[in-house]
Amino acid sequence: MTLATAPPRTRPRRHDRGVWFLVLPALIPILLLSVGPLLYGIGLAFTDSQSGRTQPTRWTGLQNFSDLLHDSLFWDSFRIGLVWAVGVTVPQFLLALGLALLLNQPLRMRWLARALAIVPWAMPEVVVGIMWRLVYHPDAGVLNETLRQLHLGDGTDWLAGLSTALPAVIVVGIWAGMPTTTVSLLAGLQNVPRELHEAAAVDGAGAWRRFRTVTWPALRPVALAMTALNFIWNFNSFALVYVLTNGGPGGRTRLPMLFAYEEAFRYGQFGYAAAMGCVMVAVISVLLAVYLAGRLKGDDQ
Amino acid sequence: MIKRRAGRTGQYLALVGYLVFLGFPLLWLVSTAFKPPRELATLHPTWWPKHPTLDNFRQAFDEQPLLHAALNSLLVALSSAVIAVLLATPMAYVMARHRSRLSRAATGWVVVSQAFPFVLVIIPLFLILKRLHLINALPGLVMVYVVWTLPFALWMLTGYVRAVPRELEEAAAVDGAGRLRTLVSITAPLLAPGIVATGLFAFITAWNEFFFALVLLKTPEKQTMPIILTHFIGAEGVADLGPLAAAALLATLPSLLLFALIQRRIAGGMVAGAVKG
């Protein structure tokens, strides 16, 4: 993205040194505490670094990666991570899009929906997890009580069931991220030229046609950026599921980050966990590249 | 006409469905926080506490060092927000005003930094901070939070700087004001609301953060709110529901209040970043 469109060389200016003075305060910590550790982390993936190791850390080449290739637990968690990320991102986007279109209409309870939408956004992820544990609680939870009153079931332990745990945490993921997506799409909708909409309506275009020809083209950049970022954030998420199930039952909700965290900070396998991080980054980079390619193609139209 | 009314009804139904989905968990959290133990330990929980009580809050403070955790969180969030904004504002100004290679690289880094899994960064940071004896120390966490909030702070602030008309600065320059003078007397005041919004956002982010705090803070007297909250959930996942809900509610209030102040600005900043980035 940065290299493909090389900027025209700006004329050297007299106050260029002043520019460096403005940039360095942020640049130095970024290089020391973000870019540096990132490179260090990638380096660690090629070593046998462990916590509390008495011998010096050794360079082991691709050993960690070849171990990872045969680590079925890791690939299980990777698959769960993909299911989770898609299962959260796609419904979340569709719901948020519908809701944003809805909240863009002059409806009476709009203010309430807008006000409520702030709450999950501002809540610590840990609190969201705790709150949904209360909702899903087999005895004292509101979900089972509702189902009991409707005679639809009794006392399912949603977060502990082998088949219910992943869907249950996915619902929480959707709940937690929907407001952010909605508000962004709503802000994007404000960019849609109203005159175009009215002109299309005068020409007799129905709601769907107006959405496809007027709203969506204007919304597309925001929508693509939101889904891509949401997918990445969801794939890398940790706190929500850590609080809800801690990866259980039987690893059914063990997202890659939870797996890597355990490997690094419970078993002290720093090198191996770093290799996991590298694999996660590699996959995400490919997805990001595909997304950016799609976005650039869209810009050509 | 009829079709139109049906459309409206459908819209309202959808809105109500959304409000239920969004609102019920929140309502349940609040309701649980005020329920006495007898109303919690039943197979048929009531929707709303019949005998509301503050005992859960009292018990929450007795069970875990909540006040201390809140102070730790406040300290960490405040310092990281102030430092992040101080560092980010000058760079954001440059990124917005100079379309140089540097600002493009920085924009690229903002995007990339959103993509890498924290585990790849936290292991080296853990090793570095350990060497500096900053494990289980709040300054270490502040360092991590500053760098972690910088990308988004830059992202938001760049949008705010672009919103300040360049013509105003040029006019000041024509009037003979120096570069620094222009920045201080023209740009800074117009930028102030954006800087405040960015700072509050960084504060909320740090206040809510869990993963880095979990890895870096070991002992209860150093831990922040989100970590202390998980202590209410026992090793087997069994929790004392009342105090858990009460503490969770308390942990949400600061960020909720601040967020209510700035949410419009953040939405604008995010979209500006997404569209122009």
Side-chain angles (χ1 to χ4, degrees):
Chain A
M1 188 178 124
T2 52
L3 297 176
T5 53
R9 290 208 54 150
T10 41
R11 206 152 31 86
R13 294 196 209 179
R14 241 182 333 144
H15 45 247
D16 264 1
R17 227 177 304 161
V19 167
W20 278 106
F21 179 71
L22 292 173
V23 166
L24 285 179
L27 200 60
I28 291 172
I30 286 170
L31 290 177
L32 285 182
L33 287 165
S34 182
V35 178
L38 186 66
L39 297 176
Y40 186 2
I42 294 171
L44 280 174
F46 298 91
T47 69
D48 60 357
S49 170
Q50 287 172 13
S51 76
R53 191 183 156 91
T54 44
Q55 298 114 309
T57 297
R58 279 179 314 153
W59 192 258
T60 55
L62 292 173
Q63 186 62 46
N64 287 328
F65 291 93
S66 85
D67 287 349
L68 258 185
L69 212 59
H70 302 104
D71 188 342
S72 63
L73 283 179
F74 174 69
W75 293 108
D76 281 346
S77 89
F78 204 91
R79 189 179 45 78
I80 291 167
L82 287 179
V83 171
W84 148 270
V86 174
V88 172
T89 307
V90 173
Q92 190 175 72
F93 175 74
L94 294 176
L95 285 171
L97 179 62
L99 188 66
L101 291 170
L102 204 62
L103 294 183
N104 209 29
Q105 304 282 322
L107 296 179
R108 224 164 271 156
M109 280 177 296
R110 191 166 71 153
W111 68 271
L112 181 62
R114 284 188 177 200
L116 262 181
I118 299 172
V119 184
W121 198 356
M123 267 185 157
E125 271 185 294
V126 170
V127 173
V128 175
I130 287 171
M131 185 179 68
W132 278 88
R133 279 183 75 126
L134 299 173
V135 169
Y136 282 137
H137 195 278
D139 304 327
V142 67
L143 179 61
N144 277 342
E145 177 56 18
T146 312
L147 291 176
R148 274 192 293 264
Q149 285 182 2
L150 297 170
H151 301 288
L152 285 173
D154 56 318
T156 310
D157 196 345
W158 300 95
L159 292 171
L162 286 179
S163 58
T164 54
L166 188 56
V169 295
I170 284 176
V171 168
V172 182
I174 295 171
W175 187 92
M178 215 167 78
T180 326
T181 318
T182 308
V183 174
S184 304
L185 290 175
L186 200 55
L189 280 177
Q190 326 263 293
N191 294 337
V192 178
R194 197 163 281 278
E195 306 78 47
L196 269 180
H197 230 275
E198 280 156 9
V202 169
D203 289 348
W208 168 245
R209 224 189 128 84
R210 284 200 307 262
F211 173 76
R212 233 180 34 122
T213 55
V214 179
T215 312
W216 180 245
L219 203 57
R220 200 165 170 272
V222 183
L224 284 174
M226 277 317 295
T227 41
L229 279 179
N230 275 341
F231 181 85
I232 292 164
W233 284 331
N234 287 327
F235 188 76
N236 290 335
S237 67
F238 177 83
L240 209 55
V241 176
Y242 178 89
V243 173
L244 279 166
T245 60
N246 196 9
R252 291 298 163 97
T253 59
R254 195 195 279 136
L255 302 183
M257 270 288 282
L258 279 115
F259 193 81
Y261 165 78
E262 276 183 12
E263 207 59 47
F265 294 102
R266 185 163 302 164
Y267 306 117
Q269 301 292 336
F270 288 150
Y272 195 53
M276 285 180 195
C278 287
V279 172
M280 288 165 70
V281 168
V283 173
I284 284 163
S285 308
V286 170
L287 293 170
L288 200 68
V290 170
Y291 152 73
L292 281 176
R295 180 175 159 174
L296 292 178
K297 206 175 110 203
D299 288 345
D300 290 341
Q301 285 172 354
Chain B
M1 191 66 195
I2 291 168
K3 195 178 160 195
R4 191 159 184 181
R5 192 168 294 168
R8 256 296 125 85
T9 313
Q11 286 180 343
Y12 274 109
L13 277 176
L15 193 60
V16 168
Y18 167 71
L19 289 177
V20 169
F21 179 53
L22 196 65
F24 259 91
L26 300 171
L27 229 60
W28 195 247
L29 177 68
V30 177
S31 151
T32 308
F34 290 99
K35 275 180 189 171
R38 207 182 312 154
E39 282 181 56
L40 280 165
T42 161
L43 258 181
H44 287 287
T46 45
W47 289 96
W48 206 243
K50 288 201 180 82
H51 308 283
T53 168
L54 290 174
D55 282 355
N56 291 327
F57 291 88
R58 211 167 300 142
Q59 206 182 325
F61 279 98
D62 286 346
E63 275 177 26
Q64 296 291 340
L66 271 189
L67 203 63
H68 202 81
L71 274 175
N72 285 345
S73 278
L74 187 71
L75 202 69
V76 168
L78 205 62
S79 344
S80 3
V82 169
I83 299 173
V85 163
L86 283 178
L87 298 182
T89 308
M91 180 156 174
Y93 181 80
V94 174
M95 283 169 66
R97 287 290 189 249
H98 297 254
R99 289 218 154 259
S100 65
R101 207 164 290 179
L102 175 85
S103 76
R104 274 167 197 271
T107 314
W109 173 77
V110 168
V111 175
V112 170
S113 70
Q114 296 297 315
F116 47 73
F118 296 150
V119 70
L120 202 53
V121 192
I122 192 65
I123 296 172
L125 276 175
F126 182 85
L127 292 171
I128 294 167
L129 291 174
K130 198 171 166 191
R131 207 161 296 169
L132 299 173
H133 301 287
L134 284 172
I135 298 292
N136 201 29
L138 298 182
L141 193 64
V142 170
M143 274 164 71
V144 174
Y145 283 175
V146 166
V147 178
W148 184 55
T149 47
L150 267 179
F152 208 82
L154 283 171
W155 189 274
M156 278 176 76
L157 282 167
T158 308
Y160 290 125
V161 175
R162 287 211 185 104
V164 174
R166 199 191 271 260
E167 291 75 31
L168 285 180
E169 288 173 13
E170 281 160 4
V174 169
D175 288 348
R179 186 177 175 74
L180 190 67
R181 174 99 192 273
T182 313
L183 275 180
V184 170
S185 59
I186 307 286
T187 319
L190 289 168
L191 211 52
I195 291 177
V196 171
T198 309
L200 290 178
F201 189 77
F203 180 94
I204 295 168
T205 310
W207 177 274
N208 290 351
E209 205 282 330
F210 180 69
F211 181 65
F212 293 129
L214 178 71
V215 172
L216 295 178
L217 304 175
K218 300 295 177 196
T219 54
E221 68 267 19
K222 297 285 184 201
Q223 283 169 339
T224 51
M225 274 299 248
I227 312 297
I228 292 293
L229 284 183
T230 61
H231 294 338
F232 281 98
I233 305 166
E236 260 88 61
V238 186
D240 211 347
L241 300 182
L244 176 69
L249 206 57
L250 287 177
T252 312
L253 287 180
S255 46
L256 195 63
L257 292 176
L258 292 181
F259 207 91
L261 289 176
I262 55 163
Q263 54 97 8
R264 258 166 222 277
R265 293 184 164 279
I266 287 177
M270 281 179 74
V271 171
V275 175
K276 290 164 196 158

